[in-house]
Amino acid sequence: MIKIGLDYYPEQWDEDFLPKDVEHMKKSGVKIVRLGEFAWSRIEKKEGEFDFGWLDRAVEEFGKAGIEVMLSVPTNTPPRWLFRKHPEIIKVGRGGGREQIGIRGHRCLNSQVLMEYADKITKQIVERYNASENVIGYQIDNEIEANWCGCETCNKLFREYLQGKYKDIDELNDIYGNQVWSGDFVDFEDVTTPPAYQNAWLNPAYMMDYARFAAKSATDYCEKIAELIRKYSTKEVLVTTNTWFPEHLPDYYKLYKNLDFVGYDNYPTTDVSNMASHAFHLDLMRGIKQDSFWIMEGLSGAPGSWGPMGETPMPGMIKGYALQAIAHGADTVLNFRYRTAKKGAEMFWNGLIGHDNVIGRRYEEFTDLIDCIKTFEHLGISDSKVVSEAAILYNVEDEMAFKLQHQSDGMYYLKSHMAWHRAFTRFGVGVDVVNGREDFMKKGKNYKILVAPCLYIYDEVTEKLLHEFVENGGTLILTPRSGVKDKHNNCLMKELPSWVRDLAGVKVKECDSIGNKQQKVLLLDEMWRKHLSDINISKPTDFDYIVSTQWCDILEVETAETLAVYASKFYDGEPAVTVNSYGNGRVFYVGTYFDDVGYESLLMSVLGKHDLKAIEAYKDGREIKGTNMYTILPEGIEVTKRVAGDRVITFIFNDAPVRQTFKYKGNEYDLQPFEMMVIGKL
Ligand code: GLA
């Protein structure tokens, strides 16, 4: 069953709000709430003195209303008495000083003392609510990031981690390149967590180890708390944590390995000039466990508080983004939050109801969402899953490494991931975003096309899987910065793209990091040129050239065929894009970053030459310029499918602030801004 719910903070309101709020939520059809995320100091005011009265009443009230509760293990915000007694649990910053407390997230996840107290509070909460039938699970902490902390414990554990990894200090010195600036460590005691220099100024192999260690600390912490929850629970409960895309990346795949599902905090931008990435992030979240996920916090009002207030969601956004998440595999959506906080630093991060406590447009749209969901059940949506025939590989370590050393002005790891994702979306082709470090073809996946952007750090699993994939007839797309680094984040002394060179059938002669400057790419391939003119139909200009930016790999073909060449600078005429036959499959090497039409027109060629039967949208697609082969959806229109047995539920979403009229598979559609149309065939 698809459930819609809310994040609610009973501790922030006078008690007489509770019955009215619960009654109101019940009437609206709310099925689930999340409570107690930051409530440690209100549960345990002084050490060992518990006041569960307010939470008991809330859990009971929701129970009477038939509303389920996800409780939280509130370790994101340890109480002041604990910080006062044990200041050693406070994180230490890069400068070596302890953080000042007063906001949240100050705790060090490696602190043994924190763990002891976390154990006690977890025991209290879980044992207390074992008997409450409507308590169905727990969220651990809040938005856990990799634990970048320089406290004594972290220093000690980091050293132990390195001692477990390297034979001796000489091996470590050698791998880190400590001879470069005379930085050889005398012994492991010399090694510390990173000093306060810019990441890129410190040895990349050292920083990579630290990023891995900090991510592992977050995973270990979560696993321990999950274990405690399960130990103290006398019934089956769901255990998760909520996540997003923080600066200090956790390893999502490891973080969620032993948790029951992925919980994502989904705040799509309300700024309509920058809207294209929502779907990509949802697909990445689904790909973490290759399964359904939850939205733990969903957009409900204008963001604010952490910066100046943003634009209020346009009519349709609150409902539309919840439905979009469901279309991409979410089974439960909780909106953040019921009512906007009256007090506290987040008082301008808006909820569904404003400070005036008057039910208005946003809450009405939320109830409209609930009514809409009720109509889904007869379509058999509950046991349906998103099925895709194309995938984009995501490697969390590659993103970590890109964050440590920016490759080019304006270029970031996910840039080409999102560009390719947008291109697939324009053709109505669903895409999975999957971990390249594990068997992404498991669970019966049958991908025909795989985009593997920036295979930066060597990984033998990825190497093997990609070779098998292409040998078996798949189409692989490679991009710049592939094959650059070894496992330690040092440079490989090989001609690029090193370990995928045989697949690509090219070598990179030289690279040009052009940043935000532009390069021109001349298309030699007739079909590609034709597709470019097909796509550019509304803005006919020059169908021979594509604009490129950020990075140019200057290629030399070995066994590949050249599809496009650069058209300026000293490498005018040198290959920029190639295709190679390998085994039963093909490999495209795209040596630069295009604008959107570049990716769309190339993808059209990729799909055009591929087994079209694999891609339903193409087979049945409407004609463009009389080809009768392709569906080009208007920008912002997304077609997603959830499948259960022979049932297919198609979601057509207008992720754009304007009304759009278009044809898809021979039918006319007319969608209002952020409108979702759901078509279910039994
Ligand atoms: C995050 C947090 C919430 C809240 C919201 C809004 O997602 O998990 O506690 O702070 O952002 O800022």
Side-chain angles (χ1 to χ4, degrees):
M1 184 183 177
I2 304 280
K3 291 179 203 161
I4 303 294
L6 288 165
D7 299 310
Y8 185 65
Y9 297 86
E11 71 278 21
Q12 295 181 15
W13 308 104
D14 293 341
E15 284 240 349
D16 53 349
F17 274 91
L18 180 72
K20 286 183 254 164
D21 288 349
V22 175
E23 184 54 30
H24 178 228
M25 289 184 219
K26 179 185 174 186
K27 254 175 81 188
S28 323
V30 166
K31 291 274 178 287
I32 179 164
V33 289
R34 183 193 67 187
L35 309 178
E37 199 191 9
F38 301 116
W40 196 340
S41 77
R42 285 301 157 106
I43 292 174
E44 192 179 7
K45 271 195 176 146
K46 289 190 186 146
E47 183 168 3
E49 285 179 25
F50 295 95
D51 173 11
F52 275 106
W54 64 272
L55 189 54
D56 289 351
R57 283 188 284 281
V59 167
E60 202 185 317
E61 203 74 44
F62 280 113
K64 280 194 278 176
I67 296 175
E68 291 177 337
V69 171
M70 274 299 273
L71 285 176
S72 315
V73 173
T75 56
N76 191 271
T77 46
R80 279 186 190 260
W81 58 258
L82 179 51
F83 283 135
R84 186 190 284 193
K85 188 172 174 192
H86 290 290
E88 71 274 24
I89 72 167
I90 303 171
K91 270 192 194 164
V92 168
R94 289 283 282 272
R98 278 205 194 278
E99 278 184 8
Q100 289 182 309
I101 59 168
I103 316 178
R104 62 186 195 184
H106 305 295
R107 77 281 174 264
C108 167
L109 300 177
N110 280 325
S111 160
Q112 194 43 45
V113 176
L114 176 74
M115 186 50 73
E116 281 161 27
Y117 281 86
D119 185 344
K120 286 186 204 160
I121 189 77
T122 305
K123 184 173 190 308
Q124 287 289 331
I125 295 173
V126 176
E127 288 186 343
R128 186 163 196 100
Y129 296 105
N130 269 332
S132 306
E133 267 178 35
N134 62 323
V135 172
I136 61 156
Y138 296 88
Q139 173 187 300
I140 300 168
D141 206 272
N142 174 62
E143 294 188 340
I144 290 188
E145 302 187 10
N147 192 59
W148 283 54
C149 167
C151 74
E152 258 180 47
T153 308
C154 283
N155 272 281
K156 180 173 163 287
L157 291 176
F158 183 43
R159 281 193 282 273
E160 285 170 13
Y161 171 80
L162 299 176
Q163 276 170 308
K165 185 165 176 178
Y166 300 104
K167 198 169 73 230
D168 52 30
I169 199 70
D170 292 339
E171 189 188 29
L172 180 145
N173 277 324
D174 186 43
I175 284 171
Y176 285 5
N178 283 343
Q179 69 271 41
V180 173
W181 282 343
S182 222
D184 285 309
F185 296 122
V186 176
D187 54 32
F188 280 97
E189 283 312 299
D190 256 357
V191 188
T192 64
T193 57
Y197 295 112
Q198 288 189 25
N199 292 338
W201 298 356
L202 295 159
N203 290 341
Y206 158 72
M207 288 306 290
M208 193 68 210
D209 266 350
Y210 182 69
R212 285 174 174 140
F213 165 76
K216 182 178 172 322
S217 305
T219 300
D220 291 350
Y221 181 79
C222 249
E223 294 210 333
K224 282 183 205 149
I225 302 287
E227 226 172 82
L228 293 172
I229 295 170
R230 290 177 181 131
K231 177 170 111 188
Y232 297 128
S233 183
T234 51
K235 58 182 178 185
E236 281 286 308
V237 281
L238 298 170
V239 182
T240 189
T241 186
N242 55 333
T243 199
W244 65 306
F245 298 96
E247 176 56 22
H248 296 138
L249 284 175
D251 184 331
Y252 300 111
Y253 305 98
K254 292 182 179 144
L255 185 69
Y256 281 103
K257 194 156 185 273
N258 294 318
L259 301 183
D260 291 310
F261 59 85
V262 171
Y264 173 43
D265 293 347
N266 184 33
Y267 293 107
T269 173
T270 48
D271 169 5
V272 294
S273 63
N274 175 29
M275 304 199 57
S277 64
H278 315 152
F280 170 80
H281 290 115
L282 293 167
D283 287 342
L284 196 155
M285 286 294 141
R286 184 183 69 252
I288 294 173
K289 284 180 95 69
Q290 294 210 9
D291 210 343
S292 339
F293 60 102
W294 288 27
I295 300 295
M296 297 303 286
E297 299 178 11
L299 177 76
S300 300
S305 296
W306 299 95
M309 268 184 275
E311 290 178 65
T312 193
M314 286 176 64
M317 275 187 178
I318 293 170
K319 177 179 172 190
Y321 286 140
L323 293 174
Q324 182 192 31
I326 292 166
H328 286 267
D331 278 353
T332 296
V333 177
L334 296 153
N335 276 63
F336 182 88
R337 47 190 278 163
Y338 177 66
R339 189 187 298 109
T340 314
K342 176 183 159 197
K343 303 171 186 169
E346 281 203 332
M347 61 171 67
F348 292 129
W349 189 286
N350 292 275
L352 290 170
I353 302 173
H355 294 130
D356 56 10
N357 200 22
V358 173
I359 306 305
R361 173 183 77 84
R362 299 198 303 280
Y363 197 88
E364 277 161 12
E365 192 172 307
F366 173 72
T367 48
D368 195 23
L369 163 71
I370 296 177
D371 293 342
C372 169
I373 297 292
K374 288 182 195 147
T375 66
F376 284 6
E377 289 309 321
H378 75 279
L379 301 174
I381 194 166
S382 294
D383 47 2
S384 66
K385 301 267 181 244
V386 177
V387 176
S388 310
E389 282 176 302
I392 300 177
L393 290 201
Y394 169 78
N395 288 320
V396 77
E397 289 199 345
D398 288 342
E399 184 168 17
M400 285 172 179
F402 261 58
K403 278 177 181 251
L404 293 172
Q405 286 178 293
H406 293 285
Q407 299 292 294
S408 176
D409 194 14
M411 177 173 150
Y412 56 99
Y413 174 69
L414 290 179
K415 195 170 184 132
S416 48
H417 291 70
M418 294 207 271
W420 280 105
H421 192 276
R422 275 201 300 283
F424 279 107
T425 303
R426 292 299 298 276
F427 295 105
V429 177
V431 202
D432 286 351
V433 178
V434 291
N435 183 10
R437 303 287 163 95
E438 63 183 22
D439 186 1
F440 43 79
M441 298 293 264
K442 69 181 182 211
K443 294 200 174 178
K445 300 286 175 188
N446 186 23
Y447 302 129
K448 303 283 187 265
I449 300 167
L450 209 55
V451 186
C454 315
L455 295 169
Y456 191 59
I457 291 191
Y458 173 70
D459 184 78
E460 61 275 6
V461 176
T462 318
E463 181 182 33
K464 181 171 163 281
L465 290 169
L466 292 183
H467 280 80
E468 276 170 18
F469 174 76
V470 182
E471 264 158 23
N472 293 331
T475 295
L476 174 67
I477 299 169
L478 299 172
T479 78
R481 309 318 283 144
S482 293
V484 176
K485 297 272 186 126
D486 66 13
K487 281 190 100 80
H488 299 292
N489 200 21
N490 286 324
C491 288
L492 279 163
M493 285 188 71
K494 286 188 174 166
E495 285 171 301
L496 298 183
S498 66
W499 50 278
V500 284
R501 179 173 162 190
D502 60 335
L503 288 173
V506 293
K507 68 178 183 193
V508 178
K509 279 200 299 191
E510 205 176 335
C511 305
D512 192 12
S513 165
I514 59 172
N516 294 315
K517 293 190 179 152
Q518 292 194 338
Q519 170 58 286
K520 272 174 101 182
V521 173
L522 171 67
L523 306 190
L524 303 182
D525 184 66
E526 276 307 316
M527 187 59 94
W528 189 358
R529 273 152 96 133
K530 185 182 156 343
H531 289 149
L532 183 65
S533 77
D534 288 343
I535 285 175
N536 256 342
I537 191 159
S538 56
K539 30 183 171 173
T541 46
D542 187 341
F543 300 141
D544 294 339
Y545 291 95
I546 297 180
V547 175
S548 97
T549 183
Q550 310 277 262
W551 192 273
C552 300
D553 275 344
I554 306 162
L555 305 176
E556 183 179 312
V557 294
E558 295 178 316
T559 53
E561 180 193 325
T562 302
L563 299 178
V565 293
Y566 295 108
S568 75
K569 290 188 83 170
F570 65 93
Y571 44 98
D572 186 352
E574 305 269 8
V577 183
T578 57
V579 63
N580 190 41
S581 294
Y582 186 96
N584 294 315
R586 292 178 324 143
V587 180
F588 287 80
Y589 192 92
V590 183
T592 185
Y593 283 68
F594 291 134
D595 58 7
D596 281 352
V597 285
Y599 290 110
E600 287 158 13
S601 53
L602 178 57
L603 185 57
M604 215 157 154
S605 292
V606 173
L607 293 161
K609 286 185 190 168
H610 214 274
D611 174 12
L612 293 182
K613 283 191 216 96
I615 308 290
E616 215 187 314
Y618 290 86
K619 198 176 54 172
D620 301 333
R622 83 168 167 85
E623 74 281 23
I624 62 164
K625 284 180 93 187
T627 65
N628 198 24
M629 260 172 73
Y630 300 103
T631 300
I632 302 279
L633 297 167
E635 205 172 321
I637 296 293
E638 268 176 52
V639 179
T640 325
K641 289 189 179 135
R642 288 182 61 142
V643 177
D646 50 7
R647 288 190 189 135
V648 179
I649 306 163
T650 306
F651 297 82
I652 306 181
F653 180 52
N654 180 15
D655 190 358
V658 290
R659 179 178 168 184
Q660 306 218 58
T661 316
F662 58 97
K663 259 173 122 187
Y664 175 66
K665 292 193 172 189
N667 296 320
E668 291 276 357
Y669 293 92
D670 179 5
L671 296 186
Q672 294 299 323
F674 312 106
E675 185 179 349
M676 172 72 85
M677 178 169 269
V678 184
I679 306 162
K681 274 194 220 142
L682 293 180

